Amino acid sequence: MHEYSLAMDLMESVLTTAEDNNAKIVNRISVKVGRIAHVNPMQLEFCLKSIGEGTIAENASYSFEYIDPEIKCACGYFGKPDETEDDLDMLEYLVSLICPLCGKNVEVIGGTELVVDSIDID
Amino acid sequence: MWNTFLATGHIINIGHDVFKENRKLADKNRETLKKSGVFSVNIMGAIGSGKTTLIEEAIKALGSKYKVAAIAGDVIADMDASRFEKLGIKTIPANTGKECHLDAHIVNDLLKKNDLSGYDILFIENVGNLICPTDFDLGEDMKIVVVSVSEGDDIILKHPVIFKTSDLAVINKIDIAEAVGVNPETMVRDVKSLNDKIPVLLTSKKQEETVAAWVKTIEDAMLEKKNGN
């Protein structure tokens, strides 16, 4: 719901880095989104494209990748979530996850990031 | 994942995490609040869940014993702020403009302009929303989520993250539960299914003992923090 202001921050980071590296054009922007963050990559891309208009990132393509959290339980269990879950159901799956060893609620660590990972420039 | 491209130029790694910037500022706020000796509570919940009323009740009960301040986050108006101001406490309006949540930057700015040294409790009323505030740590000591029975008994499972990450859940307006066809106990069970450690309070402004329990929870949490536990 707050993708626009997040996109503003991301684009500022993209353009500053591009300028620091004397880029003429930004070809591609790679973004990583934590699974627990309330960020919709499709909305984010729409906002980024809109903000990027009139800049050297105007025609950039985007790639998005999710960052999985880690799962920890008081009983000592430590693991990664089941990656076969559908992307859209992942948030619900993660927050309602119970420990496979003891059946209690697990602690979900990380997966809250929103990272502009890299840019491809000329 | 989706959208795959061939690299055409050279790749520059950035690694800039937007949320990390917020967390860094939240840590600064935490430090500032700790130095001031004030116990801070971030109250989150949907529009109409009763956040302002619950804070008012806590101010009325605690305002004569302790030094209380409040930050009221509203999109444009200062109505909530004026409700707190009427109770004679230090009130800091935080107009969030287009934002659907308070963030650490807004709170940082307000803490720079308002010295809270000597205050005991700071209530931070977030913007009415069960989703966005979850992503933005403010540097507070305690996160409280408020839902009213009128939001329907499926409201909790529809917004799981906020219940997973809060320190206290309040189910409010229980006096109208029957009229809206909701069983508050179902809501308690849903909260516990997401987070078995979180305490849950059932409240209604019309039931004095529930308001007293709400006030006591805040006071106990503050005293526990002050005593260094």
Side-chain angles (χ1 to χ4, degrees):
Chain A
M1 289 177 81
H2 38 250
E3 277 76 3
Y4 193 83
S5 56
L6 297 173
M8 293 278 280
D9 283 354
L10 290 178
M11 187 52 78
E12 189 186 334
S13 182
V14 166
L15 294 176
T16 308
T17 309
E19 280 164 25
D20 289 349
N21 288 278
N22 302 314
K24 291 189 191 72
I25 190 166
V26 179
N27 301 311
R28 184 179 60 162
I29 300 170
S30 301
V31 179
K32 288 187 173 175
V33 183
R35 295 241 186 228
I36 299 290
H38 290 96
V39 176
N40 180 330
M42 284 166 80
Q43 282 182 9
L44 189 65
E45 181 172 348
F46 177 80
C47 295
L48 284 164
K49 281 182 173 165
S50 162
I51 294 162
E53 275 179 25
T55 72
I56 57 169
E58 188 168 35
N59 296 314
S61 323
Y62 290 87
S63 72
F64 293 91
E65 203 178 309
Y66 277 122
I67 301 174
D68 283 328
E70 285 171 340
I71 310 293
K72 197 173 116 183
C73 182
C75 77
Y77 175 79
F78 191 82
K80 281 272 186 188
D82 178 2
E83 288 183 11
T84 59
E85 282 289 321
D86 183 72
D87 282 348
L88 292 172
D89 296 335
M90 195 55 147
L91 195 143
E92 191 188 346
Y93 156 77
L94 280 171
V95 292
S96 54
L97 199 64
I98 52 165
C99 175
L101 295 185
C102 71
K104 288 196 174 158
N105 283 135
V106 294
E107 197 183 333
V108 181
I109 306 155
T112 56
E113 306 83 349
L114 176 59
V115 182
V116 52
D117 191 43
S118 66
I119 52 173
D120 179 338
I121 58 169
D122 272 320
Chain B
M1 183 141 296
W2 61 87
N3 297 0
T4 44
F5 310 93
L6 289 172
T8 52
H10 64 289
I11 294 175
I12 311 284
N13 291 319
I14 302 182
H16 172 76
D17 182 348
V18 173
F19 288 132
K20 196 172 173 185
E21 295 303 315
N22 185 78
R23 282 193 286 271
K24 271 192 211 162
L25 264 180
D27 287 341
K28 272 192 185 174
N29 294 345
R30 198 167 282 116
E31 196 57 35
T32 305
L33 290 164
K34 195 178 167 190
K35 271 186 199 155
S36 305
V38 61
F39 176 72
S40 55
V41 185
N42 175 11
I43 301 190
M44 305 171 289
I47 294 165
S49 56
K51 299 185 293 298
T52 312
T53 301
L54 284 170
I55 297 171
E56 277 178 323
E57 292 301 323
I59 294 168
K60 282 182 207 164
L62 301 171
S64 53
K65 276 165 89 177
Y66 303 103
K67 255 185 116 178
V68 180
I71 291 175
D74 266 318
V75 174
I76 42 169
D78 60 356
M79 284 178 196
D80 290 349
S82 62
R83 280 172 65 177
F84 300 148
E85 210 155 26
K86 272 184 197 155
L87 299 171
I89 63 150
K90 182 180 177 68
T91 305
I92 308 163
N95 285 352
T96 54
K98 291 177 199 140
E99 291 293 345
C100 42
H101 55 271
L102 285 175
D103 62 26
H105 184 80
I106 294 172
V107 174
N108 187 264
D109 198 43
L110 296 173
L111 292 178
K112 275 183 191 160
K113 291 175 187 157
N114 296 276
D115 182 9
L116 294 176
S117 301
Y119 279 83
D120 298 298
I121 308 173
L122 170 67
F123 289 103
I124 305 170
E125 180 175 353
N126 220 309
V127 181
N129 187 329
L130 278 171
I131 302 168
C132 309
T134 319
D135 286 336
F136 297 88
D137 186 9
L138 306 179
E140 71 283 74
D141 290 306
M142 185 181 195
K143 285 183 169 69
I144 300 178
V145 55
V146 179
V147 282
S148 68
V149 293
S150 55
E151 291 164 59
D153 60 9
D154 53 358
I155 190 76
I156 290 156
L157 296 181
K158 286 199 299 202
H159 300 87
V161 182
I162 199 161
F163 292 93
K164 190 94 179 163
T165 53
S166 292
D167 303 303
L168 171 70
V170 179
I171 295 165
N172 197 23
K173 305 190 187 179
I174 53 164
D175 55 302
I176 60 162
E178 205 179 328
V180 295
V182 164
N183 180 358
E185 292 306 327
T186 306
M187 297 177 82
V188 174
R189 197 192 60 210
D190 286 350
V191 174
K192 292 285 184 184
S193 77
L194 293 168
N195 183 347
D196 53 17
K197 295 181 194 78
I198 192 171
V200 185
L201 285 179
L202 297 174
T203 55
S204 160
K205 192 190 171 182
K206 292 178 181 167
Q207 297 175 8
E208 272 177 32
E209 69 284 3
T210 67
V211 174
W214 153 250
V215 171
K216 187 175 185 304
T217 304
I218 301 288
E219 187 178 14
D220 287 351
M222 178 206 66
L223 293 174
E224 194 181 323
K225 168 86 181 179
K226 285 209 183 258
N227 295 331
N229 297 324

